[in-house]
Amino acid sequence: MARALNLVVTGVGGQGLITLSSIVARAALRRGVDALVAETHGLSQRGGTVIVHVRLGDVDAPLVPPGGADAILAMELIEAVRYLGYLRPGGTVVLNDYLVPPPLPGIETPSASSLLDAIRRRAGRIVIVPATRKALELGDARVANMVLLGAALEAGVFNGFIDAAAVEEAIRESWPKAAEVNLAALRAGRALAKSS
């Protein structure tokens, strides 16, 4: 029987989505789990939409089909709603509570509460963490992606595929000189998810 985990990682350019996905893939490979990662982004330079497909286990193609994602990991509220169509019924959304107003003039920014309502209508489970705020508390906004990854780990998104030890090994391998702040962010995300 095929066994796979399908994830969609989304947010805006500059939030470390591709890096987060790479860490997941490296951790999976460390545990002997096959991993495919495919990024699709258009105008993603600083502020544009980014979506990364991450598939673990018995998978042959890199893209998650619409309605096929077991979980969405979202670094930004509007982008979470934009890609909800990928979430399978009853799927999990792990969400940074961060809202980036559209940069175009004349575009009204939806309220955070209306975006959260839309997510709640679709998701079977939602885990909300202040990943950006926690990263700023740690002294480096760039590690917000690791806060979100830690929350997803604690929420059980990766159960049976990767574990926290494999993720920590992948972080140490990826950033030998900056491992500690990234590991602190990962652990902070786990603590936030545990208390939410």
Side-chain angles (χ1 to χ4, degrees):
M1 183 170 131
R3 186 168 170 272
L5 177 66
N6 294 313
L7 306 171
V8 164
V9 180
T10 189
V12 297
Q15 290 189 304
L17 304 163
I18 296 168
T19 302
L20 184 160
S21 302
S22 173
I23 293 294
V24 170
R26 284 176 184 237
L29 293 174
R30 285 183 165 277
R31 292 298 178 257
V33 175
D34 289 340
L36 295 174
V37 176
E39 59 190 84
T40 58
H41 48 90
L43 302 174
S44 61
Q45 296 174 353
R46 301 286 173 201
T49 185
V50 176
I51 177 173
V52 185
H53 299 252
V54 180
R55 305 189 77 195
L56 305 181
D58 298 329
V59 293
D60 297 321
L63 299 182
V64 176
D70 298 296
I72 293 177
L73 310 185
M75 287 292 295
E76 199 278 328
L77 287 165
I78 293 173
E79 299 309 317
V81 172
R82 185 186 314 274
Y83 294 110
L84 274 177
Y86 280 97
L87 190 66
R88 70 168 170 74
T92 298
V93 176
V94 181
L95 179 66
N96 180 13
D97 67 352
Y98 192 64
L99 176 61
V100 177
L104 299 175
I107 302 290
E108 185 176 331
T109 302
S111 68
S113 63
S114 69
L115 294 166
L116 289 171
D117 287 346
I119 295 167
R120 287 187 177 104
R121 283 193 297 273
R122 175 79 181 191
R125 180 176 180 216
I126 180 169
V127 177
I128 304 170
V129 294
T132 300
R133 277 182 280 152
K134 179 53 74 175
L136 289 170
E137 287 175 19
L138 293 170
D140 191 340
R142 295 176 297 178
V143 299
N145 59 349
M146 292 300 105
V147 176
L148 191 75
L149 179 55
L153 270 169
E154 192 63 34
V157 166
F158 302 105
N159 285 354
F161 291 89
I162 61 174
D163 54 37
V167 173
E168 291 192 6
E169 291 167 15
I171 288 172
R172 286 189 185 94
E173 176 185 81
S174 298
W175 301 294
K177 294 182 179 176
E180 289 311 313
V181 68
N182 283 284
L183 290 170
L186 184 81
R187 293 169 186 150
R190 295 187 69 190
L192 286 169
K194 194 178 288 186
S195 65
S196 69

